[in-house]
Amino acid sequence: MQIDKIQELPIYKNKKEGEFLVKKDIVDNFPNNFGITENENDNIEYATTSGTTSNRMEIIRPKGWWQEEYKRTYKNNPLLKEYLEKKYNKAIFTTAQCSNLMCFMDKLPMEKRIINNTLYVNSTFNPWTWTVEDIEQITKELNLFKPYYLDADPVYLAVYLLLYRKYQIKEKLYIPKVITLSYEYVSKNTRKFIEECYNTTILNLYGTTEFGYIFIEDETGKMKLCPDLVNVRLEPVDDSNNIYSLIIDSYKNEYMPLVNYKVGDMVQATKEEYINFPKNKIISRMAGREKDYDKIKLPVTVIDDIFIEFDEILLYQLQYLSKDKFIIRYETKDFQCISKENEEKLLDKITKLNIGEPQIKHVQAISPERSGKFAIIKFWEE
């Protein structure tokens, strides 16, 4: 769609120069705000976002859109490019609540969950409900299917690996050629645990349902832009922590072009990366949700950098009880509490962040939200 035609769409007609497009604009009067007519229904499909950054919203796109998006993205990494060109097997390991193409909420046999050389591994909403039999089945399926490429939600994969170890599964752990971690924020603790279990290439991958993928980890551990049909700008949010809001123009979806779109997610970039971003398209890492930052005025990266000092901790959550009081809920790799000394050390470090008065509580499991994803920071009104 031509730029001048995009500006004629109802969603942009009343936008002032420089005004951001936000998710509420997309939700209001959808899909009429994108000029969709009934005679286009044969060419399009509707989908719903997962609701990590905001409430779930409906979107529209061409049929088969994700297959083209995979091609645009995977060519940015040699291993993923090889997977694409040679049509190797792929497995998707994320919440059963939502995926890019399919949702399997029933326990179907393996062959029913294989579509276009892709095995959808999980059919359970909460991974903590996996039994010994479930972990055995997942392990067996991966060894039978032998995916070259595993695309995984980091928390679901980490819980699987933890339970694989706890249940002492006899069948060997299948090791794919490449793993991408996507679908939600990847904490350092979770990433480290996954790396300890797999001797293979692991890449962070960032995108959203509404515009696809825009960043992929490179060989240096930085995040680089997937540049096809998208332009990204960084809007300063927190200079002291080098945090920026993502603003994008995406022309990938002709039925739903996004111009000056404020995503609601943040990134961390050094001063040099920020200055050179128009040329180099490189950032340091993803930095969580802007709506969380708006409430505590601190990016999740600062919190994450504290927790990585406590190697026993696998997952954590700051659960706010009120505006200025919260509980640090954490779970460990061995299901045991961390030492009293480490609890006091962690409490002291978090207290010094001045984001509220913390308590600390060891739990056996942190459950997913309604979206199927896991909130690192959870507020009392959510």
Side-chain angles (χ1 to χ4, degrees), residues 251-298:
Y251 307 103
K252 300 176 184 181
N253 181 353
E254 61 184 292
Y255 295 104
M256 195 173 158
L258 301 171
V259 178
N260 208 32
Y261 178 48
K262 192 177 181 68
V263 179
D265 289 329
M266 305 185 302
V267 303
Q268 188 172 51
T270 65
K271 293 298 182 185
E272 184 179 0
E273 287 168 349
Y274 172 65
I275 292 169
N276 293 323
F277 185 77
K279 178 178 66 175
N280 296 338
K281 313 295 185 185
I282 297 286
I283 60 168
S284 292
R285 56 175 167 165
M286 308 313 298
R289 307 186 302 178
E290 195 164 354
K291 74 173 190 176
D292 291 344
Y293 178 87
D294 288 343
K295 290 177 180 175
I296 63 174
K297 300 305 176 187
L298 195 75

Side-chain angles (χ1 to χ4, degrees), residues 14 27 29 37 40 65 67 77 100 110 123 142 207 215 228 235 269 331 343 377 380 382:
N14 295 323
V27 172
N29 198 28
T37 59
E40 291 174 310
W65 185 84
Q67 294 305 321
N77 177 274
N100 292 339
M110 175 180 169
S123 56
L142 289 172
F215 285 109
D228 285 13
E235 182 83 5
E331 52 191 271
E343 277 198 352
I377 304 176
W380 64 94
E382 292 184 330

Side-chain angles (χ1 to χ4, degrees), residues 72-84:
R72 286 188 286 263
T73 304
Y74 295 161
K75 70 181 183 181
N76 292 283
N77 177 274
L79 289 175
L80 294 176
K81 185 178 180 182
E82 182 179 351
Y83 149 75
L84 193 65

Side-chain angles (χ1 to χ4, degrees), residues 105-301:
M105 295 299 290
D106 300 316
K107 288 189 175 293
L108 298 176
M110 175 180 169
E111 60 271 17
K112 297 284 189 181
R113 290 180 277 110
I114 299 174
I115 300 172
N116 295 328
N117 283 11
T118 300
L119 169 65
Y120 293 82
V121 176
N122 179 37
S123 56
T124 305
F125 171 70
N126 187 344
W128 292 109
T129 65
W130 285 330
T131 62
V132 176
E133 291 75 22
D134 291 326
I135 300 300
E136 286 176 338
Q137 179 183 331
I138 290 169
T139 307
K140 182 179 180 181
E141 287 184 0
L142 289 172
N143 276 292
L144 282 171
F145 193 64
K146 294 181 170 54
Y148 172 96
Y149 167 34
L150 176 63
D151 182 34
D153 179 299
V155 182
Y156 283 79
L157 185 57
V159 174
Y160 162 70
L161 293 169
L162 189 69
L163 295 180
Y164 175 90
R165 177 188 292 181
K166 177 184 178 182
Y167 296 149
Q168 299 181 332
I169 304 300
K170 293 181 180 179
E171 186 160 0
K172 68 176 183 178
L173 181 70
Y174 178 77
I175 310 294
K177 188 74 172 179
V178 59
I179 297 173
T180 55
L181 302 177
S182 55
Y183 303 98
E184 60 182 301
Y185 180 83
V186 184
S187 77
K188 284 186 173 182
N189 292 57
T190 302
R191 168 75 179 253
K192 185 179 179 182
F193 178 62
I194 293 171
E195 289 175 337
E196 290 169 356
C197 296
Y198 288 110
N199 181 25
T200 194
T201 299
I202 299 175
L203 306 169
N204 195 7
L205 187 61
Y206 168 78
T208 73
T209 309
E210 59 264 35
F211 55 73
Y213 297 116
I214 58 172
F215 285 109
I216 188 169
E217 187 175 340
D218 67 13
E219 64 279 0
T220 71
K222 301 283 189 176
M223 299 292 284
K224 70 176 182 180
L225 183 69
C226 302
D228 285 13
L229 300 175
V230 67
N231 179 53
V232 174
R233 300 183 302 287
L234 306 181
E235 182 83 5
V237 173
D238 182 341
D239 289 339
S240 62
N241 291 300
N242 296 322
I243 301 298
Y244 302 87
S245 180
L246 281 176
I247 312 297
I248 75 155
D249 302 324
S250 174
Y251 307 103
K252 300 176 184 181
N253 181 353
E254 61 184 292
Y255 295 104
M256 195 173 158
L258 301 171
V259 178
N260 208 32
Y261 178 48
K262 192 177 181 68
V263 179
D265 289 329
M266 305 185 302
V267 303
Q268 188 172 51
T270 65
K271 293 298 182 185
E272 184 179 0
E273 287 168 349
Y274 172 65
I275 292 169
N276 293 323
F277 185 77
K279 178 178 66 175
N280 296 338
K281 313 295 185 185
I282 297 286
I283 60 168
S284 292
R285 56 175 167 165
M286 308 313 298
R289 307 186 302 178
E290 195 164 354
K291 74 173 190 176
D292 291 344
Y293 178 87
D294 288 343
K295 290 177 180 175
I296 63 174
K297 300 305 176 187
L298 195 75
V300 72
T301 49

Side-chain angles (χ1 to χ4, degrees), residues 348-373:
D348 180 61
K349 286 180 174 289
I350 298 294
T351 299
K352 287 177 179 176
L353 295 177
N354 294 318
I355 55 174
E357 181 184 333
Q359 304 172 38
I360 192 165
K361 182 179 181 182
H362 171 251
V363 296
Q364 292 297 310
I366 296 172
S367 297
E369 304 303 303
R370 286 180 296 175
S371 65
K373 301 182 182 180

